[in-house]
Amino acid sequence: MSDGAPGQGPSTRLIHAVGPSPVVARTVGPPIQNGSTVLLPTAEDLYDHSRPTYGRSGLATHETLRATLAELEGAADCQLYPSGVAALTGALLAVLREGDEILVVDSVYAPTRRFCDKVLARYGVKTRYYPARTEPEALLAMGGAALKLIVLESPGSLTFELQDVSAITALARARGVLTLLDNTWGAGLLFKPLAHGVDISVQALTKYVCGHSDVLMGSACASAPAVVKALHDGVHHLGWSVSGADAYQALRGLRTLAVRLQRHGESGLAVAAWLAEQPEVAEVLHPALPASPDHALFARDFTGACGLFSLILKPGPEAAVNALLNRLTLFGLGFSWGGFESLAISSGDQLAQRRFKTAFAGPLVRLHIGLEEPEDLIADLRVGLDAYAEAS
Ligand SMILES: Cc1ncc(COP(=O)(O)O)c(C=O)c1O
């Protein structure tokens, strides 16, 4: 194909006059490469799938992001998805088939439960839930002959129980059962699932990796060749893709992940320790607190904490929880977490959906501690707790 030339019509010249720049200056980050069509040099190259032939499978920005995430998770390969939920559901669909049975931790992120119950069930995959602190041997004993996969989330959503990941994965491997762990809390830095024997580590990059509450993306990392291939084929068959611009944002987030996480974690612990002393608070659910029943596992497996945890209030009505939340000025009221800003939510009906109910003393509030000064957040929370006390 030649460039536009004198004598050709104006549309032809506009389309073909200037080709791609032959020189791309070397910037610190990779180029944001957007594209659906990839132009191949010769007809023979059209069906050479050892090279990129179509934008959906990812271009320069995606390749750099995938390689960096694989490095972070200590994995051979990484697939990208347009949200954390898409990564979870995409990974499950990639490895499961009709007739399989899966064991899913009861403290799993609510949309993962919804997918198992509403979608996997339609395709003949049976889900059985287990309490987060089930002993590993008892957990494996729950699975029948069709057990294919165990889904872990450690810490669990909202209630932050830890699991003995290496003990569970050792037993699962011995039985030929796969394991998948939602590693969003650990963000790839604080906990290394693959080093603890997990087959698939999934992250909602939306949270700490992207870090600014403005991008949705997910990843699934693996090392075993059969799992790597299943994840790759799954993305290919389902047609997931993310934009080059979003991939760039995720990569930019990765560059500062370690320093942001350290600050989130330190501030989170300071706020959690303060909350544990407040008269309105019955309990703080944070595995890094020495009083946590999971503290020994935390000290063994994690290199630090992020800024997400929950508190259990002393008994009070829902209206009092709303009064607390409505008085906060530095905490936004909104879902998600992992951005630079502090957020708070009540638990709504999420705990009621669980198969195994924990008898907490009172209502649960989940906090995400952002990058603000912790003493300002503490002052804000004190005002909220006063409102809780008044309305109880
Ligand atoms: C533990 C966990 N996993 C996965 C997700 C899903 O991420 P996304 O919002 O990108 O779909 C979330 C979102 O809140 C989450 O908290």
Side-chain angles (χ1 to χ4, degrees), residues 83-85 88 109 153 157 182 184 204 206-207 216-217 336-337:
S83 71
V85 169
L88 288 159
Y109 175 56
E153 194 176 311
S157 279
D182 184 332
T184 306
T206 309
K207 316 300 179 195
L216 285 147
M217 202 185 296
S336 202
W337 43 282

Side-chain angles (χ1 to χ4, degrees), residues 52-294:
T53 56
Y54 194 51
R56 200 194 309 112
S57 54
L59 302 168
T61 330
H62 307 82
E63 288 312 310
T64 311
L65 175 60
R66 287 178 57 204
T68 312
L69 284 167
E71 167 76 27
L72 175 72
E73 296 263 4
D77 197 28
C78 171
Q79 295 296 330
L80 301 175
Y81 305 79
S83 71
V85 169
L88 288 159
T89 61
L92 289 170
L93 286 175
V95 297
L96 295 174
R97 62 181 60 200
E98 186 184 6
D100 285 342
E101 179 186 290
I102 61 172
L103 291 171
V104 177
V105 66
D106 202 33
S107 55
V108 76
Y109 175 56
T112 307
R113 174 190 303 276
R114 188 173 62 211
F115 179 75
C116 294
D117 295 346
K118 306 272 183 217
V119 182
L120 288 183
R122 279 202 277 127
Y123 291 90
V125 175
K126 184 174 161 70
T127 302
R128 210 184 281 256
Y129 293 96
Y130 63 92
R133 294 195 179 106
T134 307
E135 286 299 325
E137 291 80 8
L139 168 55
L140 267 290
M142 284 176 72
L147 179 62
K148 176 69 179 282
L149 173 82
I150 302 176
V151 174
L152 304 96
E153 194 176 311
S154 185
S157 279
L158 286 180
T159 43
F160 301 95
E161 303 91 339
L162 291 191
Q163 299 187 253
D164 190 341
V165 177
S166 36
I168 295 170
T169 58
L171 293 172
R173 280 193 175 207
R175 212 171 125 176
V177 172
L178 292 171
T179 51
L180 177 155
L181 186 140
D182 184 332
N183 192 32
T184 306
W185 197 93
L189 265 185
L190 308 174
F191 179 66
K192 301 285 182 185
L194 270 60
H196 287 80
V198 171
D199 293 298
I200 306 172
S201 175
V202 173
Q203 271 202 67
L205 305 176
T206 309
K207 316 300 179 195
Y208 285 112
V209 168
C210 290
H212 293 72
S213 306
D214 52 5
V215 178
L216 285 147
M217 202 185 296
S219 62
C221 289
S223 286
V227 181
V228 165
K229 180 173 178 348
L231 292 175
H232 168 271
D233 291 353
V235 167
H236 189 60
H237 295 148
L238 290 172
W240 291 130
S241 103
V242 305
S243 78
D246 281 354
Y248 187 89
Q249 296 283 42
L251 193 58
R252 182 155 76 169
L254 276 172
R255 308 301 190 197
T256 57
L257 179 65
V259 284
R260 285 186 289 110
L261 260 186
Q262 187 178 350
R263 166 86 175 190
H264 284 290
E266 286 170 5
S267 299
L269 261 179
V271 175
W274 175 82
L275 279 167
E277 301 298 318
Q278 302 310 299
E280 298 81 4
V281 176
E283 196 183 347
V284 178
L285 309 179
H286 191 318
L289 285 180
S292 163
D294 298 318

